Amino acid sequence: MTTNTDEPGTAPARTRRRAPAGAAVLREDVTEAIRAAVFEELAAVGYARMSIEGIARRAGVGKTAVYRRWRSKLHLVLDLVSALAVQGLPAPDTGTLEGDLRLLYELTSRALRHPVASQVIPDLQAEAARNPEIADAMQKALREGQDGVASGIVAAAEERGEVRRGIDADLALDLISGPLYWRSVVIRSPKLPKGYLAALARATTAALKAL
């Protein structure tokens, strides 16, 4: 017998896929509602004050629906942060290195300045200083999320002959990702100066060509 214990409600029997006898059916719409609630709760109260009760209330489900998926708020946050590394950013393809960097910076800047991200990332960074598991997950998410896109930009530039083949990949990633991250997340500049992203793209292009 299949047990569907997620709130709210259950899907019509004809649309449900058969599950092993006695297994709980974890509805994807409930899972996504919980994930969205986690980001909202983090932005509102921070990791230290975040609770399973608060997450469940925002998601409109019972606490048991959360605990069926994650055994603690730590594991819930680790799962979400790790998922960011998989999603990443879309790879720019403008036909030039400077154009690719400019588009990447526009997309990244927009994402980092989102009200939720601007609250969640600094809070998790502070928590990472006290919790090695969160530190590892944050490092993986931030590095892998940017690394895949940056590597693609550099590889395309190599194919076009804009940079030399075999340039230092780690140094290239630092040059591409460091300045904007520093300004937007570390010092949390309220507003980028006019023309900053275009100037940063030009400067980074020149730096990569000099490697």
Side-chain angles (χ1 to χ4, degrees):
M1 177 178 180
T2 299
T3 304
N4 190 325
T5 50
D6 270 340
E7 303 92 350
T10 59
R14 65 178 179 277
T15 64
R16 278 182 265 158
R17 289 185 293 181
R18 187 177 299 277
V25 177
L26 300 181
R27 290 173 45 189
E28 186 61 27
D29 61 328
V30 174
T31 301
E32 289 307 311
I34 294 171
R35 285 177 171 144
V38 172
F39 283 112
E40 294 173 5
E41 191 75 356
L42 277 171
V45 303
Y47 178 82
R49 294 175 56 198
M50 185 179 75
S51 67
I52 296 297
E53 290 83 358
I55 293 167
R57 186 166 53 250
R58 284 182 183 272
V61 301
K63 289 190 297 181
T64 53
V66 181
Y67 281 119
R68 285 188 195 99
R69 293 161 172 81
W70 301 277
R71 63 180 183 267
S72 70
K73 73 173 186 178
L74 172 61
H75 291 90
L76 202 167
V77 170
L78 291 176
D79 177 57
L80 293 186
V81 171
S82 297
L84 295 178
V86 177
Q87 295 174 2
L89 292 167
D93 185 17
T94 66
T96 68
L97 175 57
E98 185 175 332
D100 286 351
L101 290 173
R102 173 68 183 273
L103 181 54
L104 174 65
Y105 290 148
E106 289 175 353
L107 294 171
T108 303
S109 177
R110 196 175 305 141
L112 291 175
R113 289 173 181 279
H114 187 281
V116 173
S118 65
Q119 292 295 323
V120 169
I121 294 176
D123 182 67
L124 287 181
Q125 284 182 314
E127 195 64 34
R130 299 184 288 270
N131 191 313
E133 289 183 276
I134 291 181
D136 289 344
M138 285 289 290
Q139 183 181 35
K140 180 179 180 182
L142 293 172
R143 184 167 186 84
E144 291 186 6
Q146 284 286 321
D147 194 26
V149 177
S151 296
I153 289 175
V154 172
E158 286 180 334
E159 288 297 319
R160 291 191 296 261
E162 293 182 277
V163 298
R164 71 172 182 83
R165 290 189 177 275
I167 67 173
D168 188 321
D170 288 334
L171 183 53
L173 176 60
D174 290 344
L175 288 170
I176 292 172
S177 303
L180 184 58
Y181 181 80
W182 169 264
R183 182 178 283 268
S184 299
V185 177
V186 179
I187 65 174
R188 303 181 71 180
S189 177
K191 187 177 181 180
L192 293 176
K194 184 178 181 180
Y196 175 80
L197 296 179
L200 180 59
R202 287 195 300 272
T204 306
T205 297
L208 291 172
K209 289 182 177 181
L211 291 182

